[in-house]
Amino acid sequence: MKKKVHLSTLTLIYSTLCLITLLACAYLFRNTWNIVLFSACIIVWSIFALFYMPLSISVNESELNINRSLRIKSIPLSEIKSVKLCPPTMAEHRLLCSGGWFGYWGWFSEASIGRYFAYYGKSSDRFLVELKNGKKYIIGCEEPGDIVSYIDNRLK
C-alpha cells in the first residue's frame, strides 16, 4: 500500500515565498562574494529539504517506508510497538526541524507525546508510530487511517 504526502496550502505558500525572497535578496547583493555565499546557503537549505521532505508513505508485509526525494527511511514492522492516528495540536515545540519549508520534518516535542521525529505535509494527515526501543515518529500521508489499520492488523 502506498499513499502520497500532500503539502498544506500554507506550507506551499511559505516555501514559495521564502524561496522567492531568498533569490531576490541574492540578486540585490552588489558584491560577488556575498552572492556566492548567500547562494550556497540557499543550496544547502534546499538540499536539506530534498533529503528529509516526505513524498509518499508505503507499507508492505515487513516494513513501513518513508519515501523521500534522496533516500528512503525504512522501519521494520517487527520494531513497531504501536501506531495510532494523531490529530493536530497547537502545543508542539520545534527543536531542530522545518516547520513548513517543503513540509514538516525534523525533531519536535509535545507534552502528550514527548520528543519525536516528524515526516508530514499536513497536520491533519498525521499518525504516530512508536517503536519498541522508545523512538517515536509522526508521519503523514493522504488517508492515514488506511495505513494505521494496515499496520495495526500486522502487529496483532
Side-chain angles (χ1 to χ4, degrees):
M1 173 184 304
K2 187 174 186 177
K3 301 288 185 176
K4 290 184 178 184
V5 174
H6 295 289
L7 299 178
S8 68
T9 304
L10 184 62
T11 299
L12 288 171
I13 291 169
Y14 171 76
S15 298
T16 303
L17 288 177
C18 282
L19 193 56
I20 289 170
T21 303
L22 290 171
L23 292 172
C25 287
Y27 178 76
L28 293 174
F29 284 130
R30 302 284 184 228
N31 184 332
T32 304
W33 175 246
N34 288 341
I35 293 170
V36 170
L37 186 62
F38 201 73
S39 297
C41 291
I42 294 170
I43 290 167
V44 168
W45 201 21
S46 296
I47 288 172
F48 271 115
L50 288 174
F51 189 76
Y52 285 106
M53 182 181 94
L55 300 175
S56 65
I57 306 300
S58 60
V59 64
N60 57 37
E61 295 295 325
S62 61
E63 60 191 9
L64 169 67
N65 294 310
I66 302 161
N67 305 305
R68 303 176 292 176
S69 301
L70 301 176
R71 190 168 177 228
I72 296 174
K73 167 78 174 166
S74 295
I75 301 170
L77 294 183
S78 61
E79 292 182 17
I80 296 176
K81 177 181 169 183
S82 67
V83 61
K84 64 181 180 180
L85 290 174
C86 186
T89 66
M90 299 303 282
E92 70 183 12
H93 300 284
R94 296 172 181 166
L95 302 177
L96 183 59
C97 62
S98 165
W101 177 251
F102 293 100
Y104 298 88
W105 42 267
W107 289 104
F108 291 81
S109 178
E110 290 184 33
S112 61
I113 298 171
R115 190 176 70 146
Y116 61 88
F117 202 92
Y119 297 101
Y120 62 92
K122 284 184 183 178
S123 295
S124 60
D125 296 343
R126 307 182 329 162
F127 60 96
L128 172 65
V129 175
E130 188 171 357
L131 303 184
K132 293 175 181 174
N133 65 8
K135 290 182 180 178
K136 297 175 186 171
Y137 296 93
I138 293 212
I139 303 167
C141 62
E142 63 184 3
E143 301 170 7
D146 293 348
I147 298 280
V148 169
S149 297
Y150 186 92
I151 295 171
D152 206 29
N153 288 336
R154 299 303 178 276
L155 296 179
K156 293 180 182 178

